[in-house]
């Protein structure tokens, strides 16, 4: 189960999917509709939502819906570096 309605909203809007189609099985290389080109639309939406560009290593690490959900959930925490925490796996 996803932790954030924001995740469903960002991914559905960026991918042109019905929100009901956004679930834990959505992943790059696993879901036929999540191609390398299709990966960039959600990344751009995430960058807009987070207010900063992602580094290449961060972009690659966002390869499944769970990692996107962790990133957006961490953004809601009080730490200014929370979005890096889950990517570095230091939290």
């Amino acid at each position: 189960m996803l932790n954030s309605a924001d995740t469903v909203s960002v991914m559905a809007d960026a991918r042109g999917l019905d929100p009901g189609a956004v679930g834990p099985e959505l992943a790059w290389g696993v879901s036929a509709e999540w191609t390398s080109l299709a990966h960039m639309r959600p990344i751009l939406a995430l960058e807009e939502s987070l207010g900063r560009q992602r580094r290449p290593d961060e972009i690659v690490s966002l390869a499944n819906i769970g990692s996107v959900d962790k990133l957006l959930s961490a953004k809601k925490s009080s730490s200014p570096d929370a979005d890096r925490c889950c990517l570095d796996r230091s939290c």
Side-chain angles (χ1 to χ4, degrees):
M1 184 166 161
L2 298 175
N3 294 324
S4 173
D6 291 342
T7 302
V8 173
S9 177
V10 167
M11 293 302 288
D13 289 347
R15 302 293 311 286
L17 298 172
D18 180 275
V22 177
E25 69 285 348
L26 190 60
W28 186 5
V30 175
S31 305
E33 66 276 354
W34 193 327
T35 63
S36 58
L37 180 57
H39 185 64
M40 294 315 296
R41 285 189 294 265
I43 296 301
L44 293 172
L46 286 168
E47 289 178 342
E48 185 176 311
S49 173
L50 296 168
R52 75 170 182 91
Q53 290 185 334
R54 312 311 297 177
R55 293 188 332 259
D57 60 314
E58 292 173 321
I59 292 170
V60 172
S61 74
L62 295 170
N64 62 55
I65 196 72
S67 60
V68 172
D69 192 46
K70 284 181 187 177
L71 178 66
L72 290 174
S73 295
K75 182 183 185 297
K76 291 182 177 182
S77 78
S78 59
S79 171
D81 294 321
D83 67 327
R84 295 210 23 86
C85 171
C86 67
L87 296 174
D88 295 342
R89 294 173 181 79
S90 60
C91 50

